[in-house]
Amino acid sequence: TLETPLQRGDQTIDSINLRKPAAGELRGIALADLLRLDVAALIAVLPRITTPTLTPQDVQQLDLVDLTALGTELLGFFMSKADSPL
């Protein structure tokens, strides 16, 4: 759930789901950039793995709290089951 909903025309986006990216969806992105939560890397990757599908412009308009939350959620996909606290 977003702290600050996105407005896209008449549509209000108030929640976003992420799915685990496949290796091909990370093409052109340095993994180190994602691990550092590099904004440019997040702008490139999030449109590939979000529902509803965000555009790069949508990602650029996200509140910083929401961008950080989505980036942190994305980082969770890089943990093995053995590393996961759950």
Side-chain angles (χ1 to χ4, degrees), residues 7 14 37 59 76:
Q7 194 66 37
D14 57 3
L37 295 180
V59 178

Side-chain angles (χ1 to χ4, degrees), residues 34-47:
L34 285 176
L35 294 173
R36 288 191 332 252
L37 295 180
D38 178 79
V39 173
L42 292 173
I43 290 170
V45 171
L46 288 175

Side-chain angles (χ1 to χ4, degrees), residues 23 79 81 86:
M79 295 175 63
K81 290 179 184 176
L86 299 176

Side-chain angles (χ1 to χ4, degrees), residues 12-83:
T12 299
I13 301 171
D14 57 3
S15 66
I16 297 169
N17 292 312
L18 294 182
R19 63 175 175 70
K20 186 175 184 177
E25 291 168 310
L26 300 177
R27 68 190 174 284
I29 307 298
L31 293 180
D33 290 343
L34 285 176
L35 294 173
R36 288 191 332 252
L37 295 180
D38 178 79
V39 173
L42 292 173
I43 290 170
V45 171
L46 288 175
R48 302 174 189 181
I49 62 168
T50 53
T51 303
T53 302
L54 298 180
T55 66
Q57 293 77 19
D58 292 333
V59 178
Q60 291 176 37
Q61 296 302 315
L62 285 169
D63 183 281
L64 185 55
V65 170
D66 294 322
L67 180 64
T68 303
L70 289 170
T72 302
E73 185 76 20
L74 176 61
L75 289 180
F77 294 131
F78 289 90
M79 295 175 63
S80 70
K81 290 179 184 176
D83 292 335

